[in-house]
Amino acid sequence: MTSFFAQEVRLSKRHEEIVSQRLILLQQMQNKFGNQNTEKGSQLQAAETAFKRNLSLLKDIEAAEKSLQTRIHPDPRPEVVSLETRYWASVEEYIPKWEQFLLGRAPYPIGVENQNKAENTLQNETQQ
């Protein structure tokens, strides 16, 4: 009986040791988890601050770029705008004809006689 009692006391002491080790480990885990949460919070705050800073820098760069563009390329004169508008209207007019030619479904869109006239006019102008 004494051996059972001694074994019970030994097991009880061992149980207390294990429980105290468990409590220590739980406390360490809670501390580590708290530190990780604090770290994550500060990292999130730093990331948000960096994002705001980068966004501000990007806006500043875009404003500077726009300012430089207006200095380098001022608004075109009305004559240039008119020529550009007529050019694109002409392009849009000829797109269907050229599209069929480029897809191989139609002959060359400008007649040979028109092309020869243009070449002759160009040659006459260069000779003068």
Side-chain angles (χ1 to χ4, degrees):
M1 212 170 195
T2 16
S3 69
F4 286 127
F5 182 71
Q7 189 177 6
E8 183 71 27
V9 169
R10 229 182 24 247
L11 287 175
S12 179
K13 284 183 182 180
R14 180 67 181 140
H15 176 66
E16 286 179 18
E17 288 173 8
I18 291 172
V19 168
S20 67
Q21 285 178 349
R22 180 178 180 268
L23 286 175
I24 291 170
L25 288 173
L26 283 173
Q27 186 64 39
Q28 288 174 348
M29 285 175 53
Q30 284 179 342
N31 290 341
K32 187 174 182 178
F33 183 71
N35 290 341
Q36 285 178 345
N37 282 343
T38 305
E39 232 177 81
K40 279 186 181 182
S42 64
Q43 286 176 348
L44 285 174
Q45 188 176 9
E48 187 175 322
T49 303
F51 177 76
K52 288 178 181 177
R53 182 194 67 233
N54 290 346
L55 192 59
S56 173
L57 288 172
L58 184 61
K59 286 180 181 178
D60 290 345
I61 289 171
E62 287 173 350
E65 181 182 16
K66 188 175 182 179
S67 172
L68 287 173
Q69 286 294 334
T70 55
R71 281 191 214 160
I72 293 171
H73 302 290
D75 290 335
R77 295 186 313 229
E79 302 88 28
V80 174
V81 173
S82 173
L83 283 172
E84 189 175 317
T85 304
R86 289 189 311 202
Y87 168 78
W88 284 113
S90 171
V91 167
E92 287 176 8
E93 178 185 337
Y94 280 97
I95 283 177
K97 296 175 186 175
W98 279 100
E99 184 177 29
Q100 294 303 315
F101 167 72
L102 293 173
L103 292 173
R105 298 180 187 154
Y108 190 75
I110 299 175
V112 177
E113 57 279 342
N114 289 344
Q115 186 177 5
N116 289 337
K117 279 184 187 178
E119 288 174 0
N120 290 338
T121 305
L122 184 61
Q123 286 176 357
N124 290 338
E125 288 176 0
T126 55
Q127 289 175 356
Q128 293 177 359

